[in-house]
Structure formats: structure tokens, C-alpha cells
Amino acid sequence: MTGGSGGIGSAVARRLAAEGAAVVVHYGGSAERAAELVEEITAKGGVAVAAGGDVAEEGDMAAVFGLAEERFGGLDVVVNTAGIMLLAPLVDLDLADFDRMHRANVRGTFVVSQLAARRLRKGGALVNFSTSVTRMAPPTYSAYAATKGAVEAMTLILARELRGRDVTVNAVAPGPTATALFLDGKTDQQLAQLAAAPPLERLGTPDDIAETVAYLAGPGRWVNGQVVYVNGGIA
């Protein structure tokens, strides 16, 4: 799985490992966090290995996929949580920031999806990551939401292109989720307002997102070509 050392990614890795999956924890920048997660999973009896690389570089990701096949005999699930979010009003956003997001979120998802489509075994699953802000449309999110709109489009089309392969392709679209990155810099008042927005009146947790990913990666075989909004009903 890509982005495995992040807040949501690490929760997904723990959950899949707890379900008995052997997990390759991909990281883009934090080798230390990935190593700690692998140690945590293995200490609990799970199987995990860390692998680094640029998610937007085909060679790097082919090496990660190759490691998974070499160590574990094949690929059954690919979860693509890697991505970046840089926020500003559209009129003010630096185009260099737009290009960085496009490279990580769009090209990165394309590279990983292409490799997954070529290598996933029968009965496999690809889970990409979008965002609920494509529906919520809050100010300052235009460029980020645009990259995730592209993720949704390629996810839905790839599901149809894999007809006959018995491989599902879906996207998970989280709402506000209480990761360290999300909480950083927000006041208590801002967090209270965000928590009050969903009908369930709380922020999501990484474990909430991991629960949905585990379903799509395992028993949810009749869910295919969908964007699943995991946000407590906020949008």
C-alpha cells in the first residue's frame, strides 16, 4: 500500500495486517515512521515490510510491486493512500503547488493503478483515495479537489476496463478525519465546528476509514466502480 506511514495509511496497514494480510508499507519520505509501523505490526504477529519510492515514478513503484511479489508470491490488494494537499484560493494558488499536487495525486494514482491493473491476481482489489471535498466544495480546496476529481474518473473507468478479470476498483472519499496533519493548526473552536457538521456529530477517525478499506479489500466483492464517501453524512 502506498502512503502507508501516514495517518490514514498506517491505520489501513494495521487493519489489513490484523485481517491476516501480508503488508508492504510504502513510504515517500518517512522511512523511520514506516519502519516503526512494520515493527509494530510484526510485534503483534503480523507480516509487514517497508519499501520506499516516489509514487509518481514508474520505476520506483515497479520495484515496490516487485518486492511484494517476490516476498509474498503475488498481489491481491493494492491500496493507494499517497497524496498531498496544498490549499489556497484558486486566484492565489502558486502553479508550482498545483503541479506538485497533480504529480503526486493524479500521476501517482495513475502509475499505481496501471501497475495494479497489470499485476493484481484474480479476485483482487484496487482501492484509490479521493476526498469528500469534491462534494462539499469548501473555499481554498479547488486545486486539491480537481486532482481528486481526476482520481475518481480514472478509478471508475478502470473498473470497466478490467471486465472479466474479477478485480474490483473503487475509491474511498473521506471527510474530515482526525489525523495529526488534519488537527495541526486548527483551534478548538474550528475543530468543534467541524465535528458538529456530520449528523453523527464527531470527526472521523483513521480507523473509520480503514474499516471501509478492509471491506472493499475483502468481503465487498459486489462493490465495484464506486466512490464511497466515508464522512458520517456530512455530504
Side-chain angles (χ1 to χ4, degrees), residues 14 37 41 50 53 68 73 128 187 189 192 202 216 225:
R14 291 186 190 96
L37 179 59
I41 289 171
N128 286 324
T187 66
Q189 181 179 3
R202 67 173 177 86
L216 295 174

Side-chain angles (χ1 to χ4, degrees), residues 131-218:
T131 173
S132 288
V133 302
T134 56
R135 283 186 173 184
M136 297 162 62
T140 75
Y141 282 82
S142 59
Y144 175 70
T147 67
K148 292 302 188 177
V151 168
E152 293 185 7
M154 72 177 83
T155 297
L156 304 188
I157 292 170
L158 180 58
R160 287 146 182 82
E161 290 178 344
L162 294 185
R163 173 181 292 274
R165 285 276 305 280
D166 191 23
V167 170
T168 61
V169 186
N170 295 288
V172 171
T177 305
T179 63
L181 184 63
F182 176 81
L183 297 174
D184 184 46
K186 292 183 174 64
T187 66
D188 289 343
Q189 181 179 3
Q190 288 173 322
L191 292 174
Q193 290 174 339
L194 288 165
L200 297 178
E201 296 187 327
R202 67 173 177 86
L203 292 174
T205 69
D207 287 342
D208 291 324
I209 312 306
E211 179 82 18
T212 301
V213 173
Y215 175 74
L216 295 174

